[in-house]
Amino acid sequence: MADYIKHPLIVPDTVEARLYQQVLAGDVLKKGNTMIVAPTALGKTIIAILVGAERLNQVKNSKILILAPTKPLAIQHENSFKQFLNLPCTSITGSVSPNEREKRWAESRIICATPQTLESDLLNERYTLEDVSLIVFDECHHGVGSYSYVYLASRYIKESKFNLILGLTASPGSDKFKIKEVCENLYIQNIVVKTEDDADVRPYFNPLEIDWVRVQMSQELEKIKDCVTKALKIRLKGLKNMGIINTVSVNKRDILKARVRVQNKIATSANPNSECYRAMSILSAVINIQHSQGLIETQGVSTFNQYVSRLRKKQTRAAKSLISDVNFGKAIRLARDAERNGCEHPKLKKLTDIVKNEFSEDSQTKLQSTRFSDENTQKDSKIIVFTQYRDTLEMIYEKFEKEGIKSAKFYGQASRNNQKGLSQKEQKQIIKEFRAGKYDVLISTSVAEEGIDIPAVDLVILYEPVGSEVRMIQRRGRTGRKDSGRVKVLLTEGTMDEGAYWSSIRKEDSMRAQLIDQEVIDELNRSAIERMEAQKKVKVLDKKKENIEKPLVFADSREGNSKVIRYLSDMEVDTKIQTMIVGDYQVSDDVVIERKTAKDFVDSIVDKRLFKQATQLREEFKKPIIILEGNDLYNGYINPNAIRGTIASIALDFGISIIPTRDSQDTAAMIKRIAVREQKGEKTPISIRTDKKPVNIWEQQIFIVESLPNIGPVHAKKLLEHFGSVENIFNASEEQLTEVEGIGKITTQNIKKVIETKYLHFKKEDKNQKLL
């Protein structure tokens, strides 16, 4: 009989007493911020529950927070913590209304949340992390770049009275710098690695069998591949002759680097020559050919043909030249004929045989007639097939349908190639039916690797190897949770599959080596301590700044997940999120800021949004500004002179200032500086444009009066209340205007100057007239 954990907050007889879990939980409580790296089936959630129970017991009236990348995983954690702990537990996700989220936070001690939703609530000041005694980052390898985990960890260390961080992952990555980045971003100072080979884990771990299934390309596929390769070689020789590449033996990464070099040459040239644009076209064609080659080698003719049909719809020079190419055109004809004749990649037949043999050693007919009546058959067997492409997923599904295999398609929410994505509700229903036995096989893209509550399966099949050790570990983690697990990886010999195979093995070995390297651990520990000390100093400075007036910035709700808002928050800016009819940020009644990344700026030129937006900015605000963010403005396909011409037009024809910034942090610093200059340390009401035009008479009156120099919403109301109408205000003398509280002599002079000065706009004689 199993022993169970006894703890005042843990439901009796629910948590099995496993020594390694208790030791790990004790280490976290003793050593501080910790990352636990362990396979999926080792019960990392139970460790989090043990640590959470003790923190809630130690720190009275505190809360614990469990973060997960997706809503299904957050809900899964909620169910687990409710099952094991005797305290109010809830979940906070984007599907819950803001008011309800605020209420749940106040009433619960255990909160399971998605990071994006939590970040949005914190930025909107719905609650704080002040009383959180433990924060758990599940799948903590996401804690890099601009992901919400990074901001939340920083804010937690800054706000919490008593902080403790626990990161959980099966795979933090193979690169030393990636692991270091995760640890630095999440303030990790202790890494613990547990594997199935550890003596204290082995009794609880189900063995995992990985079988690499090798297949050979068919003659039909080899012919198609040869035609594609010829088309590739011709273009690579052309690029070499142009001096773009040094050798024709290049991979996709080399081509991407070459494209960046050509883009930079175009960007830095006042008048780029046609040779640069020709090189860009050839490079784009090479990328398309390399992708086509990979599809033929690893996926099959059906997936290749689907890609070609999309290529035909493109109007780019590269796509047109490729479709009309003699060699590539021959490959297209051969592939079309092959599919018409029923030719398929040998992987597809091998996959079908594996699946059929999993359920029965006999024919599919025997499977259908006996598996629900004979108790000795494997009626409960479940299989997940992973593939990289939706087109391949469709191909496998159609094959399984013909073979009488009950399968379901499972992919992401994004729509692609005119195929609508699955909603979260639809995903949930498919998983429910898979669990209930309606389907035997789940055919999935990478969406099922993590973050989805998929039941344990008997067999995981990878249609192609993946070069990422993280994804490889996540995929095989879907099996072996309750019984011994099995993984089969299909690999086409002599193709890109081989490279992905060796890459994943090499990276996984590297990851293990990095995680047990004491020098790496010591370096991470020093880095975490330094960051913690830096945050303590920030807290002291924050207390000194509490009485200092913060500049106020209104941000449009569409900027809700922008890194700019995070940086504004870090820079001691009072940021309010509100729906705005025009612009992204507003710092005064006169100044609105439209933020555009370099890519968005170029895209808005192409789709003609830019001048429409400029017109709206000019109509609604006296001093509109466009912030142009990024250093890659000229790295696209548009001639730099066209971009320069647009910038000149925005500045001269519309009178809109354009300010360049390096990145989102620089943008935030610039917005803060503009706000400080406009507000001059005073908290004055700002009228937010939530509609293009006022509707009521009194709104129109305020709007008209607000348009006068140095007049905001408060002074507009005072003027109307004092004079009774817009007409009386316009007819009032300077002396009469100064009778209104807050209206000074300079303001009255400017008002009268605007009202009485003759209109000379766009005339030659107004060039020396000073604009207000």
Side-chain angles (χ1 to χ4, degrees), residues 127-146:
Y127 40 78
T128 72
L129 301 177
E130 187 179 24
D131 296 323
V132 176
S133 59
L134 169 69
I135 187 167
V136 178
F137 292 100
D138 194 18
E139 309 293 358
C140 67
H141 54 271
H142 287 290
V144 294
S146 61

Side-chain angles (χ1 to χ4, degrees), residues 378-557:
Q378 298 177 350
K379 65 180 181 180
D380 291 324
S381 290
K382 294 188 185 301
I383 299 172
I384 292 182
V385 176
F386 280 106
T387 183
Q388 187 172 348
Y389 303 101
R390 281 195 193 178
D391 290 338
T392 304
L393 184 149
E394 291 289 343
M395 177 186 72
I396 295 170
Y397 178 76
E398 290 176 9
K399 177 70 172 177
F400 282 4
E401 285 285 292
K402 290 177 183 177
E403 297 291 334
I405 298 170
K406 295 179 180 179
S407 62
K409 297 181 288 185
F410 193 78
Y411 44 86
Q413 299 177 43
S415 297
R416 296 203 183 139
N417 309 319
N418 297 321
Q419 182 187 48
K420 189 178 179 183
L422 293 174
S423 67
Q424 212 163 58
K425 184 177 179 182
E426 289 171 324
Q427 288 178 341
K428 204 171 182 180
Q429 183 62 27
I430 291 169
I431 297 303
K432 183 179 178 182
E433 291 172 345
F434 180 55
R435 183 181 281 108
K438 183 176 180 179
Y439 308 113
D440 300 320
V441 183
L442 195 68
I443 313 168
S444 178
T445 57
S446 59
V447 70
E449 289 174 356
E450 66 174 31
I452 303 290
D453 186 15
I454 292 177
V457 297
D458 303 274
L459 175 64
V460 168
I461 306 174
L462 275 60
Y463 192 77
E464 65 279 304
V466 285
S468 163
E469 78 293 348
V470 173
R471 294 177 62 193
M472 186 68 180
I473 292 169
Q474 294 288 352
R475 288 185 177 193
R476 72 186 189 218
R478 291 301 183 182
T479 185
R481 297 188 184 188
K482 296 181 179 178
D483 299 300
S484 57
R486 288 173 298 133
V487 177
K488 291 183 181 291
V489 187
L490 303 181
L491 186 151
T492 313
E493 293 182 339
T495 69
M496 295 178 183
D497 279 350
E498 296 268 15
Y501 163 67
W502 288 111
S503 176
S504 66
I505 290 177
R506 185 180 66 253
K507 287 179 179 178
E508 191 167 344
D509 288 343
S510 174
M511 180 187 75
R512 291 179 185 274
Q514 297 288 353
L515 292 173
I516 60 174
D517 187 331
Q518 191 57 47
E519 288 186 10
V520 174
I521 302 299
D522 291 343
E523 184 181 347
L524 293 172
N525 192 20
R526 286 193 300 272
S527 177
I529 292 172
E530 287 171 3
R531 292 199 71 193
M532 295 280 282
E533 291 299 322
Q535 283 294 356
K536 287 179 183 177
K537 292 179 182 178
V538 169
K539 281 187 178 182
V540 173
L541 291 173
D542 287 344
K543 288 182 179 179
K544 294 180 180 179
K545 291 179 181 178
E546 281 178 0
N547 296 323
I548 299 176
E549 201 70 59
K550 297 180 182 179
L552 174 64
V553 172
F554 282 93
D556 183 63
S557 55

Side-chain angles (χ1 to χ4, degrees), residues 220 222-225 227 301 304-305 327-341 343:
E220 292 89 347
E222 288 283 4
K223 289 178 182 177
I224 298 169
K225 178 188 172 183
C227 293
V301 291
F304 172 74
N305 289 338
N327 293 303
F328 198 79
K330 185 178 179 182
I332 292 173
R333 291 192 298 276
L334 288 172
R336 188 172 57 233
D337 293 341
E339 185 175 13
R340 191 181 297 122
N341 295 329
C343 173

Side-chain angles (χ1 to χ4, degrees), residues 10-146:
I10 295 179
V11 178
D13 301 335
T14 57
V15 179
E16 183 183 352
R18 294 185 180 181
L19 183 59
Y20 74 89
Q21 291 176 337
Q22 293 171 277
V23 171
L24 287 173
D27 280 349
V28 176
L29 293 164
K30 181 181 178 181
K31 297 180 180 179
N33 300 349
T34 300
M35 176 198 291
I36 295 178
V37 182
T40 305
L42 259 63
K44 294 188 290 294
T45 302
I46 294 297
I47 298 168
I49 288 169
L50 295 176
V51 176
E54 189 54 30
R55 287 297 280 180
L56 289 168
N57 190 49
Q58 289 175 350
V59 187
K60 303 303 179 185
N61 301 318
S62 69
K63 302 176 186 291
I64 63 170
L65 179 61
I66 300 91
L67 296 170
T70 64
K71 175 186 171 183
L73 197 52
I75 300 298
Q76 183 180 336
H77 283 311
E78 179 190 12
N79 294 333
S80 296
F81 276 80
K82 278 182 176 177
Q83 178 185 352
F84 296 119
L85 294 184
N86 280 317
L87 286 171
C89 178
T90 191
S91 60
I92 290 177
T93 66
S95 61
V96 182
S97 70
N99 289 339
E100 176 62 21
R101 295 201 299 265
E102 196 169 346
K103 181 183 175 186
R104 290 187 181 187
W105 181 276
E107 295 176 350
S108 302
R109 298 282 305 280
I110 304 164
I111 298 105
C112 304
T114 50
Q116 297 85 355
T117 304
L118 186 77
E119 179 183 359
S120 175
D121 284 350
L122 291 173
L123 290 171
N124 280 282
E125 300 179 349
R126 295 191 175 98
Y127 40 78
T128 72
L129 301 177
E130 187 179 24
D131 296 323
V132 176
S133 59
L134 169 69
I135 187 167
V136 178
F137 292 100
D138 194 18
E139 309 293 358
C140 67
H141 54 271
H142 287 290
V144 294
S146 61

Side-chain angles (χ1 to χ4, degrees), residues 171-189:
S171 46
S174 61
D175 184 77
K176 171 184 175 180
F177 299 103
K178 164 77 181 296
I179 298 171
K180 184 179 178 181
E181 183 184 1
V182 172
C183 292
E184 286 186 347
N185 288 342
L186 303 187
Y187 299 87
I188 299 298
Q189 57 198 75

